[in-house]
Amino acid sequence: MNAEKLSKRLERVSKYIVPNGTLSDIGSDHAYLPCYAIESGLTSKAIAGEVVEGPYQSAKSNVAERNLASKIDVRLGSGLSVLTLGEVDTITICGMGGTLISQILEEGKEKLSGRERLILQPNINAESIRAWLQNNQWNLIAEEILEEDEKIYEIVVAEKTEVVNLSEAEMLMGPFLIKEKNQTFIQKWSGELEHYKNIMKRLETAQQNEKNEEKKSELVHKISLIQSVL
Ligand code: SAM
């Protein structure tokens, strides 16, 4: 992957960047997304934040090689701590687990002015992001699900507008994705359903105790939620 030929996943993320503003990409290994956003004229300025020295150096050298250092500021630090309040229009956090993305948002809450657009791309557990957004009065404005290299990814886009409370199924599977119910969505949740049913089978043959009974009733609930949508 390079900035000219961005992955399909990051190319889809880039569609939601607020035009002509400042982008901040947090966890910006190689700074591919900021480079692409500047080179294709989506934004005029960008900040690439990275917490690990190696990826930070890769981002810095990639930006320098492309002569973009005057437009992309590469900053070393954890999560939103590299930002000052109100300096960006779009924040992207991509290619991590949903729990880590939610943790980055929670730890960096005071750096959010509420005027930004958040574009979050979890590899797993998008549910925890939807829960964080709802608990912090951010509203979903778009979602996407896509497959690339036999992996399924979700993209969750949010702004601080009037909050619509999500149902349990919407929290788990995504309100926009449920409405669209495309082939990739069906493939993902059919797979999850099989996975939960297999766990259920194993629990049924396992020793009966309070902990297993609790797990079984959680699974029954999850299975019926997914079946109600599919
Ligand atoms: N965002 C890129 C993408 O989607 O292709 C890179 C994803 S890579 C799997 C995750 C990157 O996030 C790693 O470079 C990692 O060091 C960085 N990262 C993890 N936790 C972070 C944090 N709290 N703050 C900033 N960067 C973080």
Side-chain angles (χ1 to χ4, degrees):
M1 182 170 67
N2 57 39
E4 286 136 19
K5 175 87 188 71
L6 206 60
S7 64
K8 176 172 153 191
R9 171 179 63 86
L10 290 180
E11 194 268 328
R12 293 282 186 85
V13 164
S14 76
K15 284 195 325 191
Y16 297 98
I17 292 172
V18 176
N20 307 316
T22 300
L23 160 72
S24 167
D25 184 40
I26 301 297
S28 196
D29 181 13
H30 292 97
Y32 288 135
L33 186 59
C35 289
Y36 177 83
I38 296 284
E39 287 175 340
S40 48
L42 292 173
T43 53
S44 44
K45 208 183 162 312
I47 295 157
E50 181 47 68
V51 74
V52 176
E53 185 67 30
Y56 164 74
Q57 291 300 342
S58 306
K60 265 192 101 80
S61 53
N62 203 15
V63 166
E65 271 165 31
R66 309 181 80 86
N67 278 325
L68 294 174
S70 62
K71 293 190 171 150
I72 303 174
D73 196 2
V74 184
R75 300 180 186 171
L76 181 65
S78 181
L80 308 186
S81 72
V82 297
L83 305 178
T84 57
L85 186 70
E87 91 177 304
V88 298
D89 305 285
T90 304
I91 296 176
T92 52
I93 314 179
C94 305
M96 306 174 206
T99 311
L100 177 56
I101 294 177
S102 311
Q103 192 186 320
I104 288 174
L105 292 169
E106 180 61 28
E107 285 170 3
K109 255 182 187 178
E110 79 286 357
K111 293 293 176 74
L112 296 170
S113 70
R115 288 189 302 275
E116 306 85 353
R117 176 178 294 173
L118 306 179
I119 313 174
L120 312 166
Q121 185 276 296
N123 295 342
I124 51 164
N125 196 10
E127 185 185 10
S128 72
I129 294 182
R130 294 189 190 97
W132 186 89
L133 292 169
Q134 181 154 302
N135 290 338
N136 290 278
Q137 292 81 48
W138 287 79
N139 197 29
L140 294 178
I141 59 160
E143 291 176 310
E144 278 204 35
I145 188 163
L146 66 127
E147 189 182 356
E148 184 173 44
D149 299 333
E150 294 177 9
K151 287 194 189 114
I152 293 180
Y153 301 104
E154 287 178 49
I155 299 169
V156 173
V157 189
E159 283 182 355
K160 199 135 196 175
T161 54
E162 203 183 318
V163 174
V164 178
N165 282 327
L166 300 180
S167 68
E168 216 180 331
E170 287 173 329
M171 193 66 91
L172 179 67
M173 301 163 89
F176 290 86
L177 302 180
I178 289 177
K179 226 172 257 165
E180 186 187 3
K181 219 187 272 184
N182 68 19
Q183 234 0 81
T184 312
F185 175 89
I186 291 171
Q187 188 189 329
K188 176 192 163 113
W189 288 105
S190 306
E192 295 282 314
L193 194 56
E194 273 318 295
H195 172 67
Y196 292 135
K197 282 180 178 172
N198 284 334
I199 300 178
M200 191 69 181
K201 266 187 214 150
R202 282 205 295 274
L203 283 176
E204 269 159 2
T205 53
Q207 199 189 10
Q208 302 302 306
N209 57 37
E210 205 179 318
K211 207 168 150 210
N212 279 353
E213 285 310 309
E214 215 174 280
K215 270 193 202 153
K216 273 188 340 197
S217 70
E218 274 170 27
L219 275 174
V220 167
H221 184 62
K222 217 161 189 176
I223 288 170
S224 81
L225 263 186
I226 298 170
Q227 281 174 330
S228 73
V229 170
L230 292 179

